[in-house]
């Protein structure tokens, strides 16, 4: 009796190429899937490292136009990136311009419990409506429960324009602790 088992066809170079191509493609697809699944998580865990935006100085428009020694509330736009969602957020700061190249820049939140204080020109003081904290033009506490002076922000002046480094600090404690 003759054995009719078909003899396996020797692999052609074309077959080997095809198989290698499919392997490479599979690895690439898995790589992409893994990247897209894990990347938002990594971004969530390390938002600051990913964004890099916290390190930036952001331009606060109109600095040359503001009067000297008069606290002025100024706004600027800041691009926030959180887990692939980019949003333009408007921030504000209080600026006291001392000279064309010198200023004090204050975070707009009261150091007691983060309410927004305001400059009351008639009293020549910053006042917080929530629990009555009062700060002088230098940010020093002159009344109320605020545990520390107003929080100053790092800034630089280049070409006459003001650039601010936005930071937030923990409220309700005597130390200026960045969060
Ligand atoms: S939050 Fe400003 S006094 Fe309490």
């Amino acid at each position: 009796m003759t054995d009719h088992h078909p003899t396996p066809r020797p692999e052609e170079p074309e077959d080997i190429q095809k198989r290698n191509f499919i392997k490479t493609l599979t690895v690439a697809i898995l790589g992409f899937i893994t990247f897209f699944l894990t990347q938002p998580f990594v971004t969530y865990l390390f938002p600051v490292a990913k964004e890099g935006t916290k390190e930036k100085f952001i331009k606060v428009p109109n600095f040359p136009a503001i009067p000297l020694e008069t606290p002025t509330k100024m706004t600027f736009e800041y691009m926030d990136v959180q887990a692939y969602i980019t949003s333009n957020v408007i921030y504000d700061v209080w600026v006291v311009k001392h000279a064309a190249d010198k200023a004090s820049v204050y975070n707009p939140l009261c150091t007691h419990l983060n309410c927004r204080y305001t400059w009351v020109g008639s009293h020549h003081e910053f006042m917080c409506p929530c629990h009555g904290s009062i700060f002088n033009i230098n940010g020093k506490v002159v009344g109320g429960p605020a545990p520390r002076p107003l929080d100053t922000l790092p800034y630089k002046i280049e070409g006459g324009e003001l650039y601010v480094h936005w930071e937030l600090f923990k409220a309700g404690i005597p130390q200026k602790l960045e969060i």
Side-chain angles (χ1 to χ4, degrees), residues 109-117 127-135 143-147 171:
L109 304 177
C110 176
T111 53
H112 178 224
L113 289 175
N114 278 345
C115 279
R116 285 176 181 274
Y117 59 86
M127 293 183 167
C128 181
C130 291
H131 315 96
S133 287
I134 304 171
F135 309 85

Side-chain angles (χ1 to χ4, degrees), residues 64-141:
I66 67 169
L68 291 178
E69 303 303 337
T70 308
T72 308
K73 193 177 193 177
M74 307 188 78
T75 55
F76 62 93
E77 217 170 304
Y78 182 83
M79 190 177 291
D80 205 16
V81 184
Q82 291 290 335
Y84 286 122
I85 299 168
T86 303
S87 45
N88 278 2
V89 187
I90 307 289
Y91 286 85
D92 52 81
V93 287
W94 281 96
V95 178
V96 183
K97 180 178 177 179
H98 305 301
D101 59 352
K102 197 165 181 259
S104 300
V105 181
Y106 300 118
N107 181 298
L109 304 177
C110 176
T111 53
H112 178 224
L113 289 175
N114 278 345
C115 279
R116 285 176 181 274
Y117 59 86
T118 191
W119 175 252
V120 181
S122 53
H123 285 69
H124 206 70
E125 283 164 334
F126 290 106
M127 293 183 167
C128 181
C130 291
H131 315 96
S133 287
I134 304 171
F135 309 85
N136 69 14
I137 196 169
N138 302 317
K140 192 173 168 241
V141 182

